[in-house]
Amino acid sequence: MALLRERNYRKPVWHCAVRAAPEDPILSDAQWARIATEIMQRTGLAPNGDVDAVRWIAVRHADDHVHIVATLARPDGVRPEVWNDGYRVRDACRTMEDYFGLRSTAPADRTAARRPKRGETEKAVRRGQEMPSRTLLRRAVQTAAAGARSENEFFARLDAEDVLVRRRFSQRTDGEVTGYAVALPGDVNADGQPVWFGGGKLAADLTLPKLRRRWTSADGSVRAPSGVRTLDGRHLSVRTKRVLLRTAVRRAADESRTTAEFLSRLQEDGLWAKPRYSQLNPGQVTGYAVAFPTEHDGEEPIWFSGSRLADDLSLSRLRQRWSGDAEYRTSTIEHYELTPEERQAFYDDAARAASYATAAIRRHLATNPFAAQDACWAASDALHVAAQATGNRHLHRAADAYDRAARAPYGRIPRPTPAGNALRTTARLLALTGSIRNRTTVSTMLLVANFITLLDTITELRRLQHRHAQADAARKAAAQAREARIATGTPTPRQSEPMATPSQVSLAMAGFPMPWAPMDPAATSRPAATKPARPTRDRRRP
């Protein structure tokens, strides 16, 4: 350390605790020594044969663990490198688990979100919070990102949830936002300043560049010229399309002052807008109709005129409004009041989209389990928004438990697929429902039941991928979803054992009939029920 002088580490002691699982056999001193040597070699602190390596010791004062302590200084005056040493320690532990036959643990693939530190946990207890600020902020950011159509709406949703937002601007380009940080009101440090968390400090897929790919990439759905993600109309009933188009037309009308500007804004939002011209004056626009774009050739769009959407959305009424002196409302994310029938249509379409995604994931079980990554990622969006829309605490726990099962290794953004887009449709529809009042229990339970089937399928998918930590996260999320079903008074379906590979192949070949539920083993040995004979009566006719 004297040779390093000012190049010394501020904390020059390297300390690593290594523990075996409770069900692992008790290792001998020689076996623990082998493990400690492997860790020091993998980290590069003490390679084999390096006489100038750092000086270190391994202390065993219990049957199940050892402590490795090293001085971060080499006798030759070279400063040892410890950057990202945790990943190399993880690789060494997995090698030793396989070598000694110990319990296999998850790789350091960055699928898990950043865990709260001990100080954050204790601070939450002192403040009386349900969970640490980092966890609450991650939940808020994930929910806002899932329900937003664009970057501006994402920040607006965070503001609506009373989350403090600080944008980071580029030093080269004026006005360009390159990142963001969030904080909870009242969560301050010793200097009285808010404790900020950047998106990357919450989870690997919550940085601003990766969030932008949610809204602007060619994800299989229609993308508006302005970059706003737009629903393509698939999995949507006519009633749901009408409500969504009504909301989009109101937003465009609020931001316009002329007919040309109004039609242009509809097209910028990714909708098809068709003006109706006068038969007497061919250049005069007398009305309009809107529709969702169609993705498939030969598919006819369903057009809605303005008066069919709402009485105040006809072109004549809009022109009267634009010509008046009333103040114009700005575009917000406030939800318009929905009728019970419209709200039920939203939930039915969301459940239908989730069922479609489940069937698509099952097809990949027997062919290519790694092709369903986008659907696994999008399922997290659907769960978080469903938890917020229903206010169900068990769904909130299910979304938090599922968090790790959703991400691809090393924070990669998967290629969009139709199954993932279906789940994004589910999240978007649930985000538009707004208030939790006047909600039908039957529609909610149908959605939760489809989520249970979806999570069971993803559990088996992660097991086939040999991602045990992610499979365990999906299994815990399914258990919490079943608790949500029980809490509402509806009996939960029988929880079946994990499906075997032959049955997955047979399901794939059968085309996965929808809806699907695991077969009850007891039903195969139960005799077929026979109807009792109906008593006959002598009905004489003349």
Side-chain angles (χ1 to χ4, degrees), residues 498-510:
M499 296 177 294
T501 303
S503 63
Q504 295 159 6
V505 177
S506 61
L507 283 173
M509 299 303 294

Side-chain angles (χ1 to χ4, degrees), residues 18-33 35 59-67 102:
V18 187
R19 185 179 66 86
E23 65 270 19
D24 287 339
I26 297 179
L27 303 177
S28 64
D29 287 348
Q31 290 173 323
W32 277 116
I35 294 173
V59 181
R60 179 187 185 186
H61 55 245
D63 291 336
D64 62 345
H65 72 277
V66 297
H67 289 262
L102 307 177

Side-chain angles (χ1 to χ4, degrees), residues 186-216:
D187 185 15
V188 296
N189 55 20
D191 298 330
Q193 300 297 322
V195 180
W196 297 98
F197 294 88
K201 297 297 183 181
L202 300 177
D205 57 346
L206 294 182
T207 62
L208 188 58
K210 292 182 179 179
L211 287 178
R212 284 170 173 167
R213 294 185 61 179
R214 293 171 178 251
W215 307 312
T216 60

Side-chain angles (χ1 to χ4, degrees), residues 157-414:
R157 287 184 176 274
L158 289 178
D159 291 337
E161 295 296 327
D162 295 330
V163 175
L164 303 179
V165 180
R166 182 179 65 184
R167 295 172 177 84
R168 184 177 69 249
F169 293 92
S170 173
Q171 297 181 354
R172 298 181 179 179
T173 305
D174 293 338
E176 180 183 358
V177 180
T178 59
Y180 72 98
V182 290
L184 287 180
D187 185 15
V188 296
N189 55 20
D191 298 330
Q193 300 297 322
V195 180
W196 297 98
F197 294 88
K201 297 297 183 181
L202 300 177
D205 57 346
L206 294 182
T207 62
L208 188 58
K210 292 182 179 179
L211 287 178
R212 284 170 173 167
R213 294 185 61 179
R214 293 171 178 251
W215 307 312
T216 60
S217 62
D219 56 3
S221 60
V222 178
R223 183 179 64 169
S226 59
V228 176
R229 186 185 67 187
T230 306
L231 297 177
D232 60 357
R234 295 185 64 186
H235 316 291
L236 301 182
S237 63
V238 176
R239 179 173 291 173
T240 300
K241 289 182 179 180
R242 179 178 177 272
V243 176
L244 295 179
L245 290 173
R246 184 181 67 196
T247 303
V249 169
R250 288 190 186 278
R251 183 185 298 108
D254 291 343
E255 299 173 350
S256 305
R257 298 292 296 263
T258 62
T259 303
E261 184 180 357
F262 170 66
L263 296 176
S264 177
R265 288 192 179 277
L266 290 177
Q267 294 176 355
E268 290 179 357
D269 287 342
L271 301 177
W272 284 357
K274 180 173 63 175
R276 184 179 70 249
Y277 294 95
S278 172
Q279 297 181 357
L280 300 177
N281 299 322
Q284 181 182 2
V285 179
T286 59
Y288 71 96
V290 292
F292 281 104
T294 57
E295 287 290 322
H296 305 284
D297 296 336
E299 183 180 355
E300 291 294 333
I302 302 177
W303 293 94
F304 293 85
S305 62
S307 58
R308 186 181 174 188
L309 296 176
D311 293 338
D312 60 337
L313 293 181
S314 63
L315 188 58
S316 59
R317 296 285 296 274
L318 290 179
R319 284 173 172 170
Q320 294 177 3
R321 171 181 163 188
W322 294 331
S323 61
D325 298 330
E327 296 182 358
Y328 293 92
R329 294 177 297 174
T330 58
S331 177
T332 64
I333 61 170
E334 294 180 358
H335 311 281
Y336 293 98
E337 291 297 329
L338 301 176
T339 63
E341 293 78 11
E342 292 172 343
R343 194 179 299 278
Q344 181 174 352
F346 270 47
Y347 270 77
D348 292 343
D349 289 351
R352 187 181 302 110
S355 179
Y356 168 82
T358 303
I361 294 175
R362 288 196 187 119
R363 293 188 182 96
H364 293 299
L365 290 178
T367 55
N368 183 10
F370 296 93
Q373 178 57 51
D374 182 56
C376 297
W377 185 44
S380 179
D381 291 352
L383 282 172
H384 276 95
V385 178
Q388 184 187 47
T390 60
N392 190 294
R393 58 187 179 91
H394 296 289
L395 281 183
H396 274 298
R397 294 174 182 174
D400 294 338
Y402 178 78
D403 187 60
R404 182 170 190 177
R407 295 188 184 88
Y410 306 104
R412 299 188 184 100
I413 301 299

